[in-house]
Coordinates of all heavy atoms in Angstrom, one line a residue:
M1452 N -3.3 8.7 -4.9 CA -4.2 9.1 -6.0 C -3.5 10.0 -6.9 O -2.5 10.7 -6.5 CB -5.4 9.8 -5.4 CG -5.4 11.2 -5.3 SD -6.8 12.1 -4.6 CE -7.3 11.1 -3.3
T1453 N -3.9 10.1 -8.1 CA -3.3 11.1 -9.1 C -4.3 12.1 -9.5 O -5.5 11.7 -9.6 CB -2.7 10.3 -10.3 OG1 -3.7 9.6 -11.0 CG2 -1.5 9.4 -9.9
Y1454 N -3.8 13.3 -9.8 CA -4.7 14.3 -10.3 C -3.9 15.3 -11.1 O -2.9 15.8 -10.6 CB -5.4 15.0 -9.1 CG -6.3 16.2 -9.4 CD1 -7.6 15.9 -9.9 CD2 -5.9 17.5 -9.3 CE1 -8.4 17.0 -10.3 CE2 -6.7 18.5 -9.7 CZ -8.0 18.3 -10.1 OH -8.8 19.3 -10.5
E1455 N -4.3 15.6 -12.3 CA -3.7 16.6 -13.2 C -2.2 16.4 -13.3 O -1.4 17.4 -13.2 CB -4.1 18.0 -12.7 CG -5.5 18.3 -12.8 CD -6.1 18.4 -14.2 OE1 -5.3 18.8 -15.1 OE2 -7.2 18.1 -14.4
G1456 N -1.7 15.2 -13.3 CA -0.3 15.0 -13.5 C 0.5 14.9 -12.2 O 1.7 14.9 -12.2
F1457 N -0.2 14.9 -11.1 CA 0.5 14.8 -9.8 C 0.0 13.6 -9.0 O -1.1 13.2 -9.1 CB 0.2 16.1 -8.9 CG 0.9 17.3 -9.4 CD1 0.2 18.2 -10.1 CD2 2.2 17.6 -9.0 CE1 0.8 19.4 -10.5 CE2 2.8 18.7 -9.5 CZ 2.1 19.7 -10.2
A1458 N 0.9 13.0 -8.2 CA 0.6 12.0 -7.2 C 0.3 12.8 -5.9 O 1.2 13.6 -5.5 CB 1.7 11.0 -7.0
I1459 N -0.8 12.6 -5.3 CA -1.2 13.3 -4.1 C -1.1 12.2 -3.0 O -1.7 11.2 -3.0 CB -2.6 13.8 -4.1 CG1 -2.7 14.9 -5.2 CG2 -3.0 14.4 -2.7 CD1 -4.1 15.4 -5.4
E1460 N -0.2 12.5 -2.0 CA 0.0 11.6 -0.9 C -0.5 12.3 0.4 O 0.0 13.4 0.7 CB 1.5 11.3 -0.7 CG 2.1 10.7 -1.9 CD 3.6 10.6 -1.8 OE1 4.2 11.0 -0.8 OE2 4.3 10.2 -2.8
C1461 N -1.4 11.8 1.1 CA -1.9 12.3 2.3 C -1.2 11.7 3.5 O -0.9 10.5 3.4 CB -3.4 12.1 2.5 SG -4.3 13.0 1.2
Y1462 N -0.9 12.4 4.5 CA -0.2 11.9 5.6 C -0.6 12.6 6.9 O -1.1 13.8 6.8 CB 1.3 12.0 5.5 CG 1.9 13.4 5.4 CD1 2.4 14.1 6.5 CD2 1.9 14.1 4.2 CE1 2.8 15.4 6.4 CE2 2.4 15.3 4.1 CZ 2.8 16.0 5.2 OH 3.3 17.3 5.1
Q1463 N -0.5 11.9 8.0 CA -1.0 12.5 9.3 C 0.3 13.1 10.0 O 1.2 12.3 10.3 CB -1.7 11.4 10.1 CG -2.5 12.0 11.3 CD -3.3 11.0 11.9 OE1 -3.2 9.8 11.7 NE2 -4.3 11.4 12.7
A1464 N 0.2 14.4 10.3 CA 1.4 15.0 11.0 C 1.2 15.2 12.5 O 2.0 15.7 13.1 CB 1.6 16.4 10.3
G1465 N 0.1 14.7 12.9 CA -0.3 14.7 14.4 C -1.7 14.1 14.4 O -2.3 13.9 13.4
R1466 N -2.1 13.9 15.6 CA -3.5 13.3 15.8 C -4.5 14.2 15.1 O -4.7 15.4 15.6 CB -3.8 13.1 17.2 CG -5.0 12.3 17.5 CD -5.2 12.0 18.9 NE -6.4 11.2 19.1 CZ -6.5 10.2 19.9 NH1 -5.4 9.9 20.6 NH2 -7.6 9.5 19.9
G1467 N -5.2 13.7 14.1 CA -6.2 14.5 13.4 C -5.7 15.6 12.6 O -6.5 16.5 12.2
L1468 N -4.5 15.7 12.2 CA -3.9 16.8 11.4 C -3.3 16.2 10.1 O -2.2 15.7 10.0 CB -2.7 17.4 12.2 CG -3.1 18.1 13.5 CD1 -1.9 18.6 14.3 CD2 -4.1 19.2 13.4
W1469 N -4.2 16.2 9.1 CA -3.8 15.6 7.8 C -3.3 16.7 6.9 O -3.8 17.8 6.8 CB -5.0 14.9 7.2 CG -5.3 13.6 7.9 CD1 -6.1 13.5 9.0 CD2 -4.8 12.4 7.6 NE1 -6.1 12.2 9.4 CE2 -5.3 11.5 8.6 CE3 -3.9 11.9 6.7 CZ2 -5.0 10.1 8.6 CZ3 -3.6 10.5 6.7 CH2 -4.2 9.7 7.6
H1470 N -2.3 16.3 6.2 CA -1.6 17.2 5.2 C -1.5 16.4 3.9 O -1.7 15.2 3.8 CB -0.2 17.6 5.6 CG -0.2 18.5 6.9 ND1 -0.3 19.8 6.8 CD2 -0.2 18.1 8.2 CE1 -0.3 20.3 8.1 NE2 -0.2 19.3 8.9
A1471 N -1.2 17.1 2.8 CA -1.0 16.5 1.5 C 0.3 16.9 0.9 O 0.8 18.0 1.2 CB -2.1 16.9 0.6
R1472 N 0.9 16.0 0.1 CA 2.2 16.3 -0.5 C 1.9 16.0 -2.0 O 1.3 15.0 -2.4 CB 3.2 15.3 0.1 CG 4.6 15.3 -0.6 CD 5.5 14.3 0.1 NE 5.7 14.6 1.5 CZ 5.5 13.8 2.5 NH1 5.1 12.5 2.2 NH2 5.7 14.1 3.7
L1473 N 2.5 16.8 -2.9 CA 2.3 16.6 -4.3 C 3.7 16.2 -4.9 O 4.7 16.8 -4.5 CB 1.9 17.9 -5.0 CG 0.7 18.6 -4.5 CD1 0.5 19.9 -5.2 CD2 -0.5 17.7 -4.7
R1474 N 3.7 15.2 -5.7 CA 4.9 14.8 -6.4 C 4.5 14.4 -7.9 O 3.4 14.2 -8.2 CB 5.5 13.5 -5.8 CG 6.0 13.6 -4.4 CD 6.5 12.2 -4.0 NE 6.7 12.2 -2.6 CZ 7.9 12.3 -2.1 NH1 9.0 12.4 -2.8 NH2 8.1 12.3 -0.8
R1475 N 5.5 14.4 -8.7 CA 5.3 13.9 -10.0 C 5.2 12.4 -9.9 O 6.0 11.8 -9.1 CB 6.5 14.2 -11.0 CG 6.5 15.7 -11.3 CD 7.5 16.0 -12.3 NE 7.7 15.0 -13.3 CZ 8.6 15.0 -14.3 NH1 9.5 16.0 -14.3 NH2 8.7 14.1 -15.2
P1476 N 4.3 11.7 -10.6 CA 4.2 10.2 -10.4 C 5.5 9.5 -10.7 O 5.8 8.4 -10.2 CB 3.1 9.9 -11.4 CG 2.3 11.1 -11.6 CD 3.3 12.2 -11.5
D1477 N 6.4 10.0 -11.6 CA 7.6 9.4 -12.0 C 8.7 9.7 -11.0 O 9.9 9.2 -11.1 CB 8.1 9.7 -13.4 CG 8.3 11.2 -13.6 OD1 8.3 12.0 -12.6 OD2 8.5 11.6 -14.7
R1478 N 8.4 10.5 -9.9 CA 9.3 10.9 -8.8 C 10.5 11.8 -9.3 O 11.4 12.0 -8.5 CB 9.9 9.6 -8.1 CG 8.8 8.8 -7.5 CD 8.7 9.1 -6.0 NE 7.7 8.2 -5.4 CZ 7.3 8.4 -4.2 NH1 7.8 9.4 -3.5 NH2 6.4 7.6 -3.7
N1479 N 10.5 12.2 -10.5 CA 11.5 13.2 -11.0 C 11.1 14.5 -10.3 O 10.0 14.8 -10.0 CB 11.5 13.3 -12.5 CG 12.2 12.1 -13.1 OD1 13.0 11.5 -12.6 ND2 11.7 11.8 -14.4
P1480 N 12.1 15.4 -10.1 CA 11.8 16.7 -9.5 C 11.0 17.6 -10.4 O 11.1 17.5 -11.6 CB 13.2 17.3 -9.2 CG 14.1 16.5 -10.1 CD 13.5 15.2 -10.4
M1481 N 10.3 18.5 -9.8 CA 9.6 19.5 -10.5 C 10.5 20.7 -10.5 O 11.1 21.1 -9.5 CB 8.3 19.9 -9.8 CG 7.2 18.8 -9.7 SD 5.9 19.3 -8.7 CE 6.6 18.8 -7.1
I1482 N 10.6 21.4 -11.6 CA 11.4 22.6 -11.8 C 10.5 23.8 -11.7 O 9.7 24.0 -12.6 CB 12.2 22.6 -13.1 CG1 13.0 21.3 -13.3 CG2 13.2 23.8 -13.2 CD1 14.0 20.9 -12.2
V1483 N 10.6 24.6 -10.7 CA 9.8 25.8 -10.5 C 10.8 27.0 -10.3 O 11.6 27.0 -9.4 CB 9.0 25.7 -9.2 CG1 8.1 26.9 -9.0 CG2 8.1 24.5 -9.3
G1484 N 10.7 27.9 -11.3 CA 11.6 29.0 -11.3 C 13.1 28.7 -11.3 O 13.9 29.3 -10.6
G1485 N 13.4 27.5 -11.9 CA 14.8 27.1 -12.0 C 15.3 26.3 -10.8 O 16.4 25.9 -10.7
V1486 N 14.4 26.1 -9.8 CA 14.8 25.3 -8.6 C 14.0 24.0 -8.7 O 12.9 23.9 -9.0 CB 14.4 26.1 -7.3 CG1 14.7 25.3 -6.1 CG2 15.0 27.5 -7.3
A1487 N 14.8 22.9 -8.4 CA 14.2 21.5 -8.4 C 13.6 21.2 -7.0 O 14.2 21.4 -6.0 CB 15.3 20.5 -8.7
F1488 N 12.3 20.7 -7.0 CA 11.6 20.3 -5.8 C 11.2 18.8 -6.0 O 10.6 18.5 -7.0 CB 10.4 21.1 -5.6 CG 10.6 22.6 -5.3 CD1 10.7 23.5 -6.2 CD2 10.8 22.9 -3.9 CE1 10.9 24.9 -5.9 CE2 11.0 24.3 -3.6 CZ 11.1 25.2 -4.6
S1489 N 11.6 18.0 -5.0 CA 11.1 16.6 -5.1 C 9.6 16.5 -4.8 O 9.0 15.6 -5.3 CB 12.0 15.7 -4.2 OG 11.8 16.2 -2.8
A1490 N 9.1 17.4 -4.0 CA 7.7 17.4 -3.6 C 7.3 18.8 -3.2 O 8.1 19.6 -2.8 CB 7.5 16.4 -2.4
I1491 N 6.0 19.1 -3.2 CA 5.4 20.3 -2.7 C 4.5 19.9 -1.6 O 3.6 19.1 -1.8 CB 4.7 21.1 -3.8 CG1 5.7 21.5 -4.9 CG2 4.0 22.3 -3.2 CD1 5.0 22.2 -6.1
E1492 N 4.7 20.5 -0.4 CA 3.8 20.2 0.7 C 2.7 21.2 0.7 O 2.9 22.4 0.6 CB 4.6 20.4 2.0 CG 5.8 19.5 2.1 CD 5.5 18.0 2.4 OE1 4.5 17.7 3.0 OE2 6.4 17.2 1.9
I1493 N 1.5 20.8 0.9 CA 0.3 21.6 1.1 C 0.2 21.9 2.6 O 0.1 21.0 3.4 CB -1.0 21.0 0.5 CG1 -0.8 20.6 -1.0 CG2 -2.2 21.9 0.7 CD1 -0.5 21.8 -1.9
G1494 N 0.2 23.2 3.0 CA 0.4 23.6 4.3 C -0.8 23.7 5.3 O -0.7 24.3 6.3
F1495 N -1.9 23.1 4.9 CA -3.1 23.2 5.8 C -3.3 21.9 6.5 O -3.1 20.8 6.0 CB -4.3 23.6 5.1 CG -4.3 24.9 4.5 CD1 -4.0 25.1 3.1 CD2 -4.4 26.1 5.2 CE1 -4.0 26.4 2.5 CE2 -4.4 27.3 4.7 CZ -4.1 27.5 3.3
A1496 N -3.7 21.9 7.8 CA -4.0 20.7 8.5 C -5.6 20.5 8.4 O -6.3 21.4 8.7 CB -3.6 20.9 10.0
W1497 N -5.9 19.3 8.0 CA -7.3 19.0 7.8 C -7.7 17.8 8.8 O -6.8 17.0 9.2 CB -7.6 18.6 6.4 CG -7.4 19.7 5.5 CD1 -6.3 20.1 4.7 CD2 -8.3 20.8 5.2 NE1 -6.5 21.2 4.1 CE2 -7.8 21.7 4.3 CE3 -9.6 21.0 5.7 CZ2 -8.4 22.8 3.9 CZ3 -10.3 22.2 5.2 CH2 -9.7 23.0 4.3
P1498 N -9.0 17.6 9.1 CA -9.4 16.6 10.0 C -9.3 15.2 9.5 O -9.4 14.2 10.2 CB -10.8 17.0 10.4 CG -11.3 17.8 9.3 CD -10.1 18.5 8.7
D1499 N -9.2 15.0 8.1 CA -9.2 13.7 7.5 C -8.5 13.8 6.2 O -8.3 14.8 5.6 CB -10.7 13.2 7.3 CG -11.5 14.2 6.6 OD1 -11.3 14.4 5.4 OD2 -12.5 14.7 7.1
P1500 N -8.1 12.6 5.7 CA -7.3 12.6 4.5 C -8.1 13.0 3.2 O -7.5 13.6 2.3 CB -6.8 11.1 4.3 CG -7.7 10.3 5.2 CD -8.1 11.3 6.3
E1501 N -9.4 12.8 3.2 CA -10.2 13.2 2.1 C -10.2 14.7 1.9 O -10.1 15.2 0.8 CB -11.6 12.7 2.2 CG -11.7 11.2 2.2 CD -11.4 10.4 3.5 OE1 -11.3 11.1 4.5 OE2 -11.1 9.2 3.4
S1502 N -10.3 15.4 3.1 CA -10.2 16.9 3.0 C -8.9 17.4 2.6 O -8.8 18.4 1.8 CB -10.6 17.5 4.4 OG -11.9 17.1 4.8
A1503 N -7.8 16.8 3.0 CA -6.5 17.2 2.6 C -6.3 17.0 1.1 O -5.7 17.8 0.4 CB -5.4 16.4 3.4
A1504 N -6.8 15.8 0.6 CA -6.7 15.6 -0.8 C -7.5 16.6 -1.6 O -7.1 17.1 -2.7 CB -7.1 14.1 -1.1
A1505 N -8.7 16.9 -1.2 CA -9.6 17.9 -1.8 C -8.9 19.2 -1.9 O -8.9 19.9 -2.9 CB -10.9 17.9 -1.2
D1506 N -8.2 19.6 -0.8 CA -7.5 20.9 -0.8 C -6.3 20.9 -1.7 O -6.1 21.9 -2.4 CB -7.1 21.2 0.6 CG -6.4 22.6 0.7 OD1 -7.0 23.6 0.2 OD2 -5.3 22.7 1.2
A1507 N -5.6 19.8 -1.8 CA -4.5 19.6 -2.7 C -5.0 19.8 -4.2 O -4.4 20.5 -4.9 CB -3.8 18.3 -2.5
K1508 N -6.1 19.2 -4.5 CA -6.7 19.3 -5.9 C -7.0 20.8 -6.1 O -6.8 21.3 -7.2 CB -7.9 18.5 -6.0 CG -7.6 17.0 -6.0 CD -8.9 16.2 -6.1 CE -8.6 14.7 -6.1 NZ -9.9 14.0 -6.1
N1509 N -7.6 21.4 -5.1 CA -8.0 22.8 -5.3 C -6.8 23.7 -5.5 O -6.8 24.6 -6.3 CB -8.8 23.3 -4.0 CG -9.2 24.7 -4.1 OD1 -9.8 25.1 -5.1 ND2 -9.0 25.5 -3.1
Q1510 N -5.7 23.5 -4.8 CA -4.5 24.2 -4.9 C -3.8 24.0 -6.3 O -3.3 25.0 -6.9 CB -3.5 23.9 -3.8 CG -4.0 24.3 -2.4 CD -4.4 25.7 -2.3 OE1 -3.7 26.6 -2.8 NE2 -5.5 26.0 -1.6
I1511 N -3.9 22.8 -6.8 CA -3.3 22.5 -8.1 C -4.1 23.3 -9.1 O -3.4 24.0 -10.0 CB -3.4 21.0 -8.4 CG1 -2.5 20.2 -7.6 CG2 -3.2 20.7 -9.9 CD1 -2.7 18.7 -7.6
D1512 N -5.4 23.4 -9.0 CA -6.2 24.2 -10.0 C -6.0 25.7 -9.8 O -5.8 26.4 -10.7 CB -7.7 23.8 -9.8 CG -8.0 22.4 -10.2 OD1 -7.2 21.8 -11.0 OD2 -9.0 21.9 -9.7
R1513 N -6.1 26.1 -8.6 CA -6.0 27.6 -8.3 C -4.6 28.2 -8.6 O -4.6 29.2 -9.2 CB -6.2 27.8 -6.8 CG -6.3 29.2 -6.4 CD -6.7 29.4 -4.9 NE -5.6 29.1 -4.0 CZ -4.6 29.9 -3.7 NH1 -4.6 31.1 -4.3 NH2 -3.6 29.6 -2.9
L1514 N -3.6 27.4 -8.4 CA -2.2 27.9 -8.7 C -1.7 27.5 -10.0 O -0.6 27.8 -10.4 CB -1.2 27.5 -7.6 CG -1.6 27.9 -6.2 CD1 -0.7 27.3 -5.1 CD2 -1.5 29.5 -6.1
K1515 N -2.5 26.8 -10.8 CA -2.2 26.3 -12.1 C -0.9 25.6 -12.1 O 0.1 25.8 -12.9 CB -2.1 27.5 -13.1 CG -3.4 28.2 -13.3 CD -3.3 29.4 -14.2 CE -4.6 30.0 -14.5 NZ -5.3 30.8 -13.5
L1516 N -0.8 24.6 -11.2 CA 0.5 23.9 -11.0 C 0.7 22.8 -12.1 O 1.8 22.3 -12.1 CB 0.5 23.2 -9.6 CG 0.5 24.1 -8.4 CD1 0.4 23.3 -7.1 CD2 1.8 25.0 -8.5
T1517 N -0.3 22.5 -12.9 CA -0.1 21.5 -13.9 C 1.1 21.8 -14.8 O 1.7 20.9 -15.4 CB -1.4 21.3 -14.8 OG1 -1.7 22.6 -15.3 CG2 -2.5 20.7 -13.9
R1518 N 1.5 23.0 -15.0 CA 2.6 23.4 -15.8 C 3.9 22.8 -15.2 O 4.9 22.7 -15.9 CB 2.8 24.9 -16.0 CG 2.9 25.6 -14.7 CD 2.9 27.1 -14.9 NE 2.7 27.7 -13.6 CZ 2.3 28.9 -13.4 NH1 2.1 29.7 -14.4 NH2 2.2 29.4 -12.2
Y1519 N 3.9 22.4 -13.9 CA 5.1 21.9 -13.3 C 5.1 20.4 -13.1 O 6.0 19.8 -12.6 CB 5.3 22.5 -11.9 CG 5.4 24.0 -11.9 CD1 4.5 24.8 -11.3 CD2 6.5 24.6 -12.6 CE1 4.6 26.2 -11.3 CE2 6.5 26.0 -12.7 CZ 5.6 26.8 -12.0 OH 5.7 28.1 -12.1
A1520 N 4.0 19.8 -13.6 CA 3.8 18.3 -13.5 C 4.8 17.5 -14.3 O 5.2 16.4 -13.9 CB 2.4 17.9 -13.8
A1521 N 5.3 18.1 -15.4 CA 6.3 17.4 -16.2 C 7.4 18.4 -16.6 O 7.1 19.6 -16.8 CB 5.6 16.8 -17.5
V1522 N 8.6 17.9 -16.8 CA 9.7 18.8 -17.2 C 9.6 19.0 -18.7 O 9.4 18.0 -19.4 CB 11.0 18.1 -16.8 CG1 12.2 18.9 -17.4 CG2 11.2 17.9 -15.3
A1523 N 9.7 20.2 -19.1 CA 9.7 20.5 -20.5 C 10.9 19.9 -21.2 O 12.0 19.9 -20.7 CB 9.6 22.0 -20.8
Q1524 N 10.6 19.4 -22.4 CA 11.7 18.8 -23.2 C 12.5 19.9 -23.9 O 11.9 20.7 -24.6 CB 11.2 17.8 -24.1 CG 10.5 16.6 -23.5 CD 11.5 15.8 -22.7 OE1 12.6 15.6 -23.1 NE2 11.1 15.4 -21.5
V1525 N 13.8 19.9 -23.8 CA 14.6 20.9 -24.6 C 14.9 20.3 -25.9 O 15.4 19.1 -26.0 CB 15.9 21.2 -23.8 CG1 16.8 22.1 -24.5 CG2 15.6 21.7 -22.4
P1526 N 14.7 21.0 -27.0 CA 15.0 20.5 -28.3 C 16.5 20.1 -28.4 O 17.3 20.7 -27.9 CB 14.7 21.7 -29.3 CG 13.7 22.5 -28.5 CD 14.1 22.3 -27.1
Q1527 N 16.7 19.0 -29.1 CA 18.1 18.4 -29.2 C 19.1 19.5 -29.8 O 20.2 19.5 -29.3 CB 18.1 17.2 -30.1 CG 19.4 16.5 -30.2 CD 19.9 16.0 -28.8 OE1 19.1 15.5 -28.0 NE2 21.2 16.0 -28.6
Q1528 N 18.7 20.3 -30.8 CA 19.6 21.2 -31.3 C 20.1 22.3 -30.3 O 21.2 22.8 -30.3 CB 19.1 21.9 -32.6 CG 17.8 22.7 -32.4 CD 17.2 23.0 -33.7 OE1 16.0 23.2 -33.7 NE2 17.9 23.2 -34.8
E1529 N 19.2 22.6 -29.3 CA 19.6 23.6 -28.3 C 20.6 22.9 -27.4 O 21.5 23.6 -26.9 CB 18.4 24.0 -27.5 CG 17.5 25.0 -28.2 CD 16.3 25.5 -27.4 OE1 16.5 25.6 -26.1 OE2 15.3 25.8 -27.9
L1530 N 20.4 21.6 -27.1 CA 21.4 20.9 -26.2 C 22.8 20.9 -26.9 O 23.8 21.1 -26.2 CB 20.9 19.5 -25.9 CG 19.7 19.4 -25.0 CD1 19.2 17.9 -25.0 CD2 20.0 19.9 -23.7
S1531 N 22.8 20.6 -28.2 CA 24.1 20.5 -28.8 C 24.8 21.8 -29.0 O 26.0 21.9 -29.1 CB 24.0 19.8 -30.2 OG 23.1 20.5 -31.0
A1532 N 24.1 22.9 -29.0 CA 24.6 24.3 -29.2 C 25.3 24.8 -27.9 O 26.1 25.7 -28.0 CB 23.6 25.2 -29.7
A1533 N 24.9 24.2 -26.8 CA 25.4 24.8 -25.5 C 26.8 24.4 -25.2 O 27.5 23.6 -25.6 CB 24.5 24.2 -24.4

């Protein structure tokens, strides 16, 4: 599923322990504080994938992660000046 520019992947880390992983849909890394992350793991265990996905959506909103959903484009003149 996608939400606010992220692909949310739910996975089971143990019997009845569901977690969520956030990625950019294009699979490019997210740049957070100058560090590239291929995915962000949501660290709570939920009893079902629906709850894990709901928590992931809540964390995207609460932490304002949408600013990391896409890499900002650097203007061409800044690239050539470097």
Side-chain angles (χ1 to χ4, degrees):
M1452 96 179 42
T1453 58
Y1454 179 77
E1455 296 292 329
F1457 288 99
I1459 299 174
E1460 303 168 3
C1461 296
Y1462 63 95
Q1463 196 169 13
R1466 187 175 185 138
L1468 301 174
W1469 287 89
H1470 296 267
R1472 175 182 297 126
L1473 306 176
R1474 295 179 192 258
R1475 289 183 42 184
D1477 61 7
R1478 300 258 182 192
N1479 286 330
M1481 293 172 278
I1482 309 300
V1483 180
V1486 179
F1488 293 90
S1489 61
I1491 297 175
E1492 306 284 331
I1493 302 298
F1495 296 103
W1497 293 98
D1499 55 65
E1501 293 79 18
S1502 297
D1506 183 53
K1508 291 177 184 178
N1509 182 46
Q1510 297 305 319
I1511 290 168
D1512 294 338
R1513 186 176 74 80
L1514 299 172
K1515 298 177 174 75
L1516 294 177
T1517 54
R1518 61 187 164 195
Y1519 303 117
V1522 174
Q1524 297 295 319
V1525 178
Q1527 184 63 35
Q1528 62 191 149
E1529 287 185 28
L1530 290 174
S1531 61

